[in-house]
Amino acid sequence: MERIELGTTKNKEKIKELILITGEKINDCMQCGKCSAGCPAASQMDILPHQIIRYIQLGEWKKLIESKTLWICASCFACASRCPRDLDVAKLLEGMRVMILQEKNSKKIDIEKMGRLMTDEKMPQQAIVSAFRKYSK
Ligand code: SF4
Ligand code: SF4
């Protein structure tokens, strides 16, 4: 049987870089949707986790980096734990965030102001660590 390659034709360099930094085998995705079905933030996303993988396969870089999904993802890894193909959508989203922040040479949080948050007893430690990972490079 002839093998169908899902390789991208667009934005190859960006996709190659994303795959290099995440190590994810994007062509293993069979679009089953289990990642999206289990995502607690899916209702707020404009591109669902399984669609993120498809856009990566298709090289739709602009749509990906303009998506609010990147910043809504809570990095809970539910998608990764549900994937029957051992793919980690959260890691791909993090990889894209890092690439965007590096490209802009910017960060979304001012680390100098984090001290105030760290003394807030109601702030879960996991949220602080997650914010560092998510919004700084
Ligand atoms: S659960 Fe895995 S295989 Fe299924 S759509 Fe999501 S990433 Fe692809
Ligand atoms: S890590 Fe992000 S994309 Fe994956 S299930 Fe959690 S919120 Fe959804």
Side-chain angles (χ1 to χ4, degrees), residues 39-41 45 49 73-79 90 93:
C39 174
M45 292 175 171
C73 167
S75 300
C76 69
F77 301 103
C79 48
L93 292 170

Side-chain angles (χ1 to χ4, degrees), residues 46-59:
D46 51 353
I47 301 179
L48 295 172
H50 75 286
Q51 294 171 323
I52 289 282
I53 301 264
R54 189 69 185 121
Y55 279 148
I56 297 171
Q57 290 171 342
L58 296 171

Side-chain angles (χ1 to χ4, degrees), residues 8-17 56 58-63:
T8 69
T9 50
K10 289 194 280 184
N11 298 301
K12 275 187 177 171
E13 288 310 310
K14 291 285 182 200
I15 304 298
K16 238 163 83 180
E17 189 182 340
I56 297 171
L58 296 171
E60 295 287 352
W61 190 250
K62 194 166 182 291
K63 282 184 189 155

Side-chain angles (χ1 to χ4, degrees), residues 43-106:
S43 64
Q44 303 303 311
M45 292 175 171
D46 51 353
I47 301 179
L48 295 172
H50 75 286
Q51 294 171 323
I52 289 282
I53 301 264
R54 189 69 185 121
Y55 279 148
I56 297 171
Q57 290 171 342
L58 296 171
E60 295 287 352
W61 190 250
K62 194 166 182 291
K63 282 184 189 155
L64 286 164
I65 61 168
E66 285 176 355
S67 166
K68 63 178 186 173
T69 294
L70 263 62
W71 309 102
I72 279 174
C73 167
S75 300
C76 69
F77 301 103
C79 48
S81 70
R82 290 172 64 96
C83 179
R85 290 286 173 92
D86 210 19
L87 275 154
D88 189 338
V89 183
K91 200 192 262 187
L92 287 161
L93 292 170
E94 183 168 358
M96 281 184 271
R97 289 195 296 265
V98 167
M99 284 172 70
I100 291 167
L101 294 174
Q102 281 180 344
E103 205 161 280
K104 288 184 180 165
N105 197 22
S106 67

